[in-house]
């Protein structure tokens, strides 16, 4: 028997099986290299990324709606603001020029009988309103004609502005804010006590309190009185019936002068109160709008209620 035939017998088959088993075991113990990816130009490269996170849970905070605590309210109409700011320099000029005119009768060096700046009995003088240093400070001596020129020019502006103001307040209904009512006197007393720090509360008010209503109405009447007494002094012959009703020429001069002093007192108190009230009050006379708490009554709503 050939040797090759002898080797291809049953013993040869068993050897092959044993070799195959050994090779399979060795292959299992050796690491395998990953297959190399073939990159082609312009092919998209997909990277394994972490999955996108789910929706973020947000805690919804229940909030109550914020309510405003202040608001803008229309306090002064445009016409009133214009007439107010026109009247201020006009009235100031009227007072200044009037003092230049009255300097004549204040100087006793010429023994003038019309000493309207003196309070006394007969030759005895209790008090004189203006000392000599006052006249020198305002350069009043010997400026009578200058005072007459200014006084007679600005009196027309003063009269026209005052008449327009009264007519506007009547036809617009703004007089309801200005004219005192039956509660105004009591409110004025309470306001005065509050300003003196004797009480800590103020009476309710809309546009003006009781003290302001009395003061502003008084100023309007004082302006009318100044025009009437000024006419009696300016034209004592032509308007003799007015001069007579006022008690005569000398009395008309006294009344005119006392009204002027009343305006000076009003200026002092008014400016002081404006400063104490603060910027909001002053701003309302410039822009017409006032910042006020929402719980206070609305002036514009009250105007609409007039119909």
């Amino acid at each position: 028997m050939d040797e090759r035939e002898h080797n291809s017998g049953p013993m040869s088959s068993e050897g092959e099986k044993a070799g195959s088993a050994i090779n399979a075991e060795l292959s299992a113990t050796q690491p395998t290299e990953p297959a190399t990816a073939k990159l082609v130009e312009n092919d998209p490269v997909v990277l394994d990324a972490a999955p996108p996170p789910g929706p973020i849970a947000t805690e919804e905070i229940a909030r109550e709606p914020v309510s405003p605590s202040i608001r803008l309210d229309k306090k002064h109409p445009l016409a009133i603001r214009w007439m107010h700011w026109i009247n201020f320099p006009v009235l100031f000029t009227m007072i200044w020029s009037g003092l230049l005119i009255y300097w004549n009768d204040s100087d006793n060096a010429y023994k003038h009988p019309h000493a309207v700046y003196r309070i006394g009995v007969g030759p005895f003088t209790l008090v004189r309103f203006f000392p000599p240093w006052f006249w020198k400070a305002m350069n009043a001596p010997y400026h009578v004609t200058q005072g007459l020129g200014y006084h007679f020019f600005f009196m027309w502006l003063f009269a026209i502005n005052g008449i327009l103001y009264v007519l506007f307040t009547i036809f617009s209904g703004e007089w309801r804010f200005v004219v005192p009512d039956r509660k105004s006197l009591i409110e004025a007393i309470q306001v005065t006590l509050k300003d003196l720090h004797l009480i800590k509360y103020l009476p309710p008010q809309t546009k003006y309190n009781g003290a302001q209503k009395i003061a502003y109405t008084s100023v309007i009447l004082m302006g009318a009185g100044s025009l009437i007494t000024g006419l009696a002094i300016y034209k004592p012959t032509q308007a003799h019936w007015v001069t007579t009703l006022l008690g005569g020429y000398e009395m008309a001069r006294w009344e005119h002068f006392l009204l002027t002093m009343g305006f000076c007192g009003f200026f002092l108190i008014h400016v002081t109160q404006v400063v104490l009230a603060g910027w909001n009050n002053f701003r309302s006379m410039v822009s017409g709008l006032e910042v006020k708490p929402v719980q206070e009554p609305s002036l514009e709503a009250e105007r609409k209620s007039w119909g």
Side-chain angles (χ1 to χ4, degrees):
M1 178 180 297
D2 190 4
E3 185 177 1
R4 290 177 294 181
E5 294 178 356
H6 177 76
N7 293 338
S8 62
M11 294 298 294
S12 177
S13 299
E14 292 179 0
E16 291 178 0
K17 292 180 179 178
S20 298
I22 293 172
N23 291 332
E25 186 177 354
L26 290 174
S27 299
T29 58
Q30 293 181 0
T32 60
E33 295 181 0
T36 303
K38 184 179 180 180
L39 299 178
V40 182
E41 189 176 0
N42 297 329
D43 278 357
V45 179
V46 179
L47 300 178
D48 292 334
I56 300 175
T58 57
E59 180 182 0
E60 295 185 0
I61 303 175
R63 296 182 179 177
E64 297 182 357
V66 179
S67 300
S69 59
I70 58 175
R71 58 181 168 82
L72 288 176
D73 197 19
K74 184 178 179 181
K75 186 173 184 179
H76 300 295
L78 179 62
I80 287 182
R81 303 199 310 268
W82 267 101
M83 288 181 282
H84 172 273
W85 292 113
I86 289 174
N87 196 59
F88 182 81
V90 168
L91 186 55
F92 180 84
T93 305
M94 291 291 291
I95 295 174
W96 165 75
S97 59
L99 290 175
L100 296 183
I101 297 170
Y102 278 149
W103 169 81
N104 281 352
D105 294 325
S106 69
D107 191 356
N108 279 342
Y110 299 98
K111 305 299 180 183
H112 287 176
H114 312 302
V116 296
Y117 297 104
R118 183 184 75 93
I119 296 179
V121 178
F124 174 74
T125 300
L126 178 63
V127 62
R128 294 184 63 83
F129 285 99
F130 301 108
W133 62 263
F134 173 81
W135 300 113
K136 293 180 180 179
M138 65 175 302
N139 195 26
Y142 307 106
H143 286 81
V144 180
T145 55
Q146 180 185 9
L148 289 170
Y150 277 100
H151 209 71
F152 293 156
F153 174 79
F154 279 92
M155 72 176 182
W156 296 106
L157 297 179
F158 178 72
I160 294 172
N161 192 62
I163 293 172
L164 291 177
Y165 175 83
V166 172
L167 292 177
F168 178 81
T169 54
I170 292 175
F171 290 107
S172 66
E174 291 289 316
W175 63 268
R176 294 179 176 89
F177 290 129
V178 182
V179 177
D181 53 30
R182 59 184 180 180
K183 299 179 181 179
S184 297
L185 181 59
I186 297 176
E187 292 178 357
I189 295 174
Q190 293 173 338
V191 171
T192 304
L193 294 177
K194 174 64 170 59
D195 291 340
L196 296 175
H197 301 284
L198 298 178
I199 61 175
K200 296 183 179 180
Y201 64 91
L202 282 174
Q205 70 176 66
T206 53
K207 185 175 182 179
Y208 300 123
N209 57 47
Q212 290 173 314
K213 289 181 178 180
I214 294 175
Y216 297 154
T217 302
S218 299
V219 166
I220 295 173
L221 297 177
M222 288 166 56
S226 295
L227 291 175
I228 295 172
T229 55
L231 177 63
I233 299 171
Y234 180 45
K235 299 291 184 180
T237 303
Q238 293 86 338
H240 60 89
W241 59 275
V242 178
T243 307
T244 302
L245 289 176
L246 294 175
Y249 181 78
E250 293 299 323
M251 197 64 189
R253 288 172 65 87
W254 259 108
E255 293 161 353
H256 196 71
F257 171 73
L258 293 177
L259 287 170
T260 302
M261 294 300 99
F263 276 115
C264 292
F266 172 79
F267 269 145
L268 180 62
I269 297 174
H270 182 61
V271 172
T272 302
Q273 291 290 351
V274 169
V275 173
L276 294 177
W279 172 249
N280 188 40
N281 188 42
F282 178 82
R283 178 174 49 198
S284 66
M285 187 53 74
V286 177
S287 66
L289 300 175
E290 181 182 31
V291 179
K292 61 191 308 183
V294 293
Q295 64 269 18
E296 292 188 5
S298 172
L299 298 179
E300 194 62 22
E302 185 171 348
R303 291 186 179 100
K304 294 179 181 179
S305 67
W306 298 339

